[in-house]
Short mmCIF file of all heavy atoms in Angstrom, two decimals:
data_model
loop_
_atom_site.label_atom_id
_atom_site.label_comp_id
_atom_site.label_asym_id
_atom_site.label_seq_id
_atom_site.Cartn_x
_atom_site.Cartn_y
_atom_site.Cartn_z
N SER A 223 41.84 28.10 15.96
CA SER A 223 42.54 26.95 15.37
C SER A 223 42.00 26.58 14.00
O SER A 223 42.34 25.55 13.45
CB SER A 223 42.43 25.75 16.31
OG SER A 223 41.08 25.44 16.56
N GLY A 224 41.14 27.43 13.44
CA GLY A 224 40.58 27.16 12.12
C GLY A 224 39.25 26.47 12.21
O GLY A 224 38.77 26.13 13.29
N PRO A 225 38.60 26.25 11.06
CA PRO A 225 37.28 25.63 11.04
C PRO A 225 37.27 24.27 11.72
O PRO A 225 38.19 23.47 11.54
CB PRO A 225 36.97 25.51 9.55
CG PRO A 225 37.83 26.55 8.91
CD PRO A 225 39.08 26.61 9.72
N ALA A 226 36.24 24.03 12.54
CA ALA A 226 36.12 22.74 13.22
C ALA A 226 35.63 21.68 12.25
O ALA A 226 34.95 21.98 11.26
CB ALA A 226 35.16 22.88 14.39
N GLN A 227 35.95 20.45 12.55
CA GLN A 227 35.49 19.34 11.72
C GLN A 227 34.19 18.80 12.31
O GLN A 227 34.08 18.64 13.51
CB GLN A 227 36.54 18.23 11.68
CG GLN A 227 36.15 17.05 10.80
CD GLN A 227 37.23 15.98 10.77
OE1 GLN A 227 38.21 16.07 11.51
NE2 GLN A 227 37.05 14.99 9.94
N ARG A 228 33.21 18.52 11.45
CA ARG A 228 31.95 17.97 11.95
C ARG A 228 31.54 16.79 11.09
O ARG A 228 31.94 16.66 9.95
CB ARG A 228 30.86 19.04 11.96
CG ARG A 228 30.49 19.54 10.57
CD ARG A 228 29.23 20.38 10.59
NE ARG A 228 29.44 21.56 11.40
CZ ARG A 228 28.49 22.47 11.59
NH1 ARG A 228 27.30 22.31 11.05
NH2 ARG A 228 28.72 23.53 12.33
N VAL A 229 30.70 15.93 11.67
CA VAL A 229 30.18 14.78 10.96
C VAL A 229 28.73 15.06 10.61
O VAL A 229 27.94 15.45 11.46
CB VAL A 229 30.28 13.51 11.83
CG1 VAL A 229 29.67 12.33 11.09
CG2 VAL A 229 31.74 13.23 12.17
N VAL A 230 28.37 14.88 9.36
CA VAL A 230 27.02 15.14 8.88
C VAL A 230 26.39 13.81 8.49
O VAL A 230 27.04 12.96 7.88
CB VAL A 230 27.03 16.11 7.67
CG1 VAL A 230 25.62 16.39 7.20
CG2 VAL A 230 27.74 17.40 8.05
N ASP A 231 25.11 13.63 8.83
CA ASP A 231 24.47 12.34 8.58
C ASP A 231 23.92 12.21 7.16
O ASP A 231 23.28 11.23 6.81
CB ASP A 231 23.35 12.08 9.60
CG ASP A 231 22.25 13.13 9.53
OD1 ASP A 231 22.28 13.98 8.62
OD2 ASP A 231 21.36 13.08 10.41
N GLY A 232 24.12 13.23 6.32
CA GLY A 232 23.68 13.16 4.94
C GLY A 232 22.28 13.65 4.71
O GLY A 232 21.81 13.68 3.56
N ASP A 233 21.57 14.06 5.75
CA ASP A 233 20.21 14.57 5.61
C ASP A 233 20.30 16.05 5.24
O ASP A 233 20.67 16.88 6.07
CB ASP A 233 19.45 14.38 6.91
CG ASP A 233 17.99 14.79 6.81
OD1 ASP A 233 17.62 15.40 5.79
OD2 ASP A 233 17.22 14.49 7.74
N SER A 234 19.96 16.40 4.03
CA SER A 234 20.12 17.77 3.55
C SER A 234 19.17 18.74 4.24
O SER A 234 19.35 19.95 4.16
CB SER A 234 19.90 17.83 2.04
OG SER A 234 18.58 17.39 1.72
N SER A 235 18.12 18.21 4.90
CA SER A 235 17.16 19.09 5.57
C SER A 235 17.53 19.35 7.02
O SER A 235 16.82 20.05 7.72
CB SER A 235 15.75 18.47 5.51
OG SER A 235 15.72 17.26 6.24
N ARG A 236 18.63 18.80 7.46
CA ARG A 236 19.03 18.93 8.86
C ARG A 236 20.38 19.64 8.95
O ARG A 236 21.35 19.22 8.34
CB ARG A 236 19.12 17.56 9.51
CG ARG A 236 19.52 17.58 10.97
CD ARG A 236 19.48 16.18 11.54
NE ARG A 236 19.91 16.15 12.93
CZ ARG A 236 19.93 15.05 13.69
NH1 ARG A 236 19.55 13.90 13.17
NH2 ARG A 236 20.34 15.11 14.94
N VAL A 237 20.40 20.73 9.72
CA VAL A 237 21.63 21.50 9.90
C VAL A 237 22.03 21.46 11.36
O VAL A 237 21.24 21.82 12.23
CB VAL A 237 21.44 22.97 9.44
CG1 VAL A 237 22.73 23.75 9.67
CG2 VAL A 237 21.05 23.02 7.96
N ASN A 238 23.22 21.05 11.65
CA ASN A 238 23.73 20.98 13.02
C ASN A 238 24.74 22.10 13.22
O ASN A 238 25.80 22.12 12.61
CB ASN A 238 24.40 19.62 13.26
CG ASN A 238 24.91 19.48 14.68
OD1 ASN A 238 24.72 20.38 15.50
ND2 ASN A 238 25.57 18.38 14.97
N THR A 239 24.41 23.07 14.07
CA THR A 239 25.30 24.21 14.30
C THR A 239 25.83 24.26 15.72
O THR A 239 26.46 25.23 16.12
CB THR A 239 24.56 25.54 14.01
OG1 THR A 239 23.48 25.68 14.95
CG2 THR A 239 24.03 25.57 12.59
N ALA A 240 25.57 23.22 16.51
CA ALA A 240 25.94 23.23 17.92
C ALA A 240 27.20 22.41 18.19
O ALA A 240 27.49 21.45 17.47
CB ALA A 240 24.80 22.70 18.77
N ILE A 241 27.93 22.82 19.23
CA ILE A 241 29.02 22.01 19.75
C ILE A 241 28.55 21.42 21.08
O ILE A 241 28.36 22.14 22.05
CB ILE A 241 30.29 22.84 19.97
CG1 ILE A 241 30.86 23.33 18.64
CG2 ILE A 241 31.35 22.02 20.70
CD1 ILE A 241 32.11 24.17 18.78
N ASP A 242 28.33 20.12 21.11
CA ASP A 242 27.92 19.44 22.34
C ASP A 242 29.07 18.66 22.96
O ASP A 242 29.01 18.29 24.13
CB ASP A 242 26.74 18.50 22.06
CG ASP A 242 25.50 19.28 21.66
OD1 ASP A 242 25.25 20.37 22.22
OD2 ASP A 242 24.77 18.80 20.78
N VAL A 243 30.10 18.39 22.17
CA VAL A 243 31.32 17.76 22.66
C VAL A 243 32.50 18.52 22.06
O VAL A 243 32.58 18.68 20.84
CB VAL A 243 31.41 16.27 22.28
CG1 VAL A 243 32.74 15.68 22.74
CG2 VAL A 243 30.26 15.48 22.88
N TYR A 244 33.37 19.00 22.91
CA TYR A 244 34.55 19.74 22.45
C TYR A 244 35.76 18.83 22.62
O TYR A 244 36.10 18.42 23.74
CB TYR A 244 34.72 21.01 23.27
CG TYR A 244 35.88 21.89 22.84
CD1 TYR A 244 35.77 22.73 21.75
CD2 TYR A 244 37.08 21.88 23.54
CE1 TYR A 244 36.81 23.56 21.35
CE2 TYR A 244 38.14 22.69 23.16
CZ TYR A 244 38.00 23.53 22.07
OH TYR A 244 39.05 24.34 21.67
N VAL A 245 36.40 18.48 21.52
CA VAL A 245 37.57 17.61 21.54
C VAL A 245 38.80 18.50 21.56
O VAL A 245 39.13 19.15 20.58
CB VAL A 245 37.59 16.66 20.34
CG1 VAL A 245 38.81 15.73 20.42
CG2 VAL A 245 36.31 15.83 20.28
N SER A 246 39.47 18.53 22.71
CA SER A 246 40.63 19.38 22.89
C SER A 246 41.91 18.56 22.76
O SER A 246 41.88 17.34 22.58
CB SER A 246 40.59 20.05 24.27
OG SER A 246 40.93 19.12 25.28
N ASP A 247 43.03 19.24 22.89
CA ASP A 247 44.32 18.54 22.87
C ASP A 247 44.49 17.65 24.09
O ASP A 247 45.39 16.81 24.13
CB ASP A 247 45.47 19.55 22.84
CG ASP A 247 45.52 20.33 21.53
OD1 ASP A 247 45.44 19.69 20.47
OD2 ASP A 247 45.64 21.56 21.58
N PHE A 248 43.63 17.83 25.10
CA PHE A 248 43.78 17.10 26.36
C PHE A 248 42.57 16.23 26.68
O PHE A 248 42.37 15.85 27.84
CB PHE A 248 44.05 18.09 27.49
CG PHE A 248 45.16 19.07 27.17
CD1 PHE A 248 44.86 20.38 26.82
CD2 PHE A 248 46.48 18.66 27.16
CE1 PHE A 248 45.88 21.27 26.51
CE2 PHE A 248 47.50 19.54 26.83
CZ PHE A 248 47.20 20.84 26.51
#
Side-chain angles (χ1 to χ4, degrees):
S223 58
Q227 182 179 7
R228 64 169 63 180
V229 177
V230 181
D231 62 6
D233 185 349
S234 61
S235 64
R236 180 176 178 178
V237 178
N238 181 3
T239 64
I241 293 180
D242 294 322
V243 177
Y244 183 79
V245 182
S246 75
D247 293 312
F248 310 104

